Amino acid sequence: AWAEKTVDVPVPMGDPGAVKWKELASLVLTCLDAGEDCAYAVEGDPLLYGSYIHLAQALSELKPGTGVEVVSGIPSFVAACGRAGMPLAVGKEGLAVLTGPLGLEEMEEACRSFAAVAMLKVSGSMAALREFLAEHGEELSWLCVENCTCEDEVMCMDAGRLEEREWGYFTVCVVRRNRYGRP
C-alpha cells in the first residue's frame, strides 16, 4: 500500500515568476530523498510553455542529476484541431506556435511565413485577433477554442461570435492559409 500526499501549487496565470520554484523543488527533493515518488501535473504538454519547466530548472540547480520522467501531454492547439477536424499541418508545411499577448503585425507576419499558426493564450490579444480576422479571415481557415477538452470548452469558428463574450486565459486560436480547412 502507498500513501498519497497532495500539495497544491497555485501558479498565477501568466506569472510563473510568482511561484517560489526553489522552495517547491526542495519539497520535492525531500520526498524523493525519503524514497517517495513525486508527480507534477499540468494541462497540455509540460515542456511547451509549461510551468513544469521552472520546477525542472530549480530541481537541476538544487540537485544536479535528479532523475525525472516527463510524460508528454497533448497541447491545446493540437487537441483543438482534432476536435474540429481541421488539419494542423500537411506535407512540408511550416507551423508556428506563438504565445500571447500578440499584436496585429505579429499575427500577419506569422501567417505570411507559415501555412499554419497556433496562437496560445490569446485572451489578451482579442482586439488584434478580431482585426486580423476582419482583414484576412476570408483567406483563412481558423478556429478559436477556450478551455479545450474541458467541460466548459467553447469553440468558435465565426468571427461575429468572437465579440459575444470575454475569452479566458486558456484560449487558443489556430489559423491556416491554404486549401486544407475545416471539413
Side-chain angles (χ1 to χ4, degrees), residues 25-113:
S26 292
L27 176 62
V28 169
L29 289 171
T30 299
C31 293
L32 291 175
D33 290 342
E36 299 174 17
D37 290 331
C38 294
Y40 183 77
V42 300
E43 293 187 58
D45 188 273
L47 298 175
L48 181 69
Y49 301 113
S51 58
Y52 166 76
I53 298 167
H54 306 289
L55 175 59
Q57 180 64 36
L59 284 169
S60 176
E61 289 173 9
L62 291 176
K63 190 172 182 182
T66 300
V68 297
E69 178 184 356
V70 176
V71 178
S72 294
I74 299 173
S76 60
F77 61 94
V78 175
C81 287
R83 293 178 73 75
M86 180 176 151
L88 184 56
V90 180
K92 293 187 175 206
E93 292 178 338
L95 166 68
V97 179
L98 309 174
T99 187
L102 301 166
L104 177 62
E105 297 78 24
E106 291 171 282
M107 293 176 189
E108 290 175 335
E109 176 60 31
C111 284
R112 275 193 300 274
S113 301

Side-chain angles (χ1 to χ4, degrees), residues 1-6 34-39:
W2 55 280
E4 182 178 317
K5 175 172 47 173
T6 303
E36 299 174 17
D37 290 331
C38 294

Side-chain angles (χ1 to χ4, degrees), residues 109-134:
E109 176 60 31
C111 284
R112 275 193 300 274
S113 301
F114 297 92
V117 179
M119 297 178 272
L120 312 179
K121 303 172 185 173
V122 294
S123 61
S125 309
M126 290 309 278
L129 181 61
R130 288 181 188 110
E131 184 178 348
F132 173 77
L133 291 173

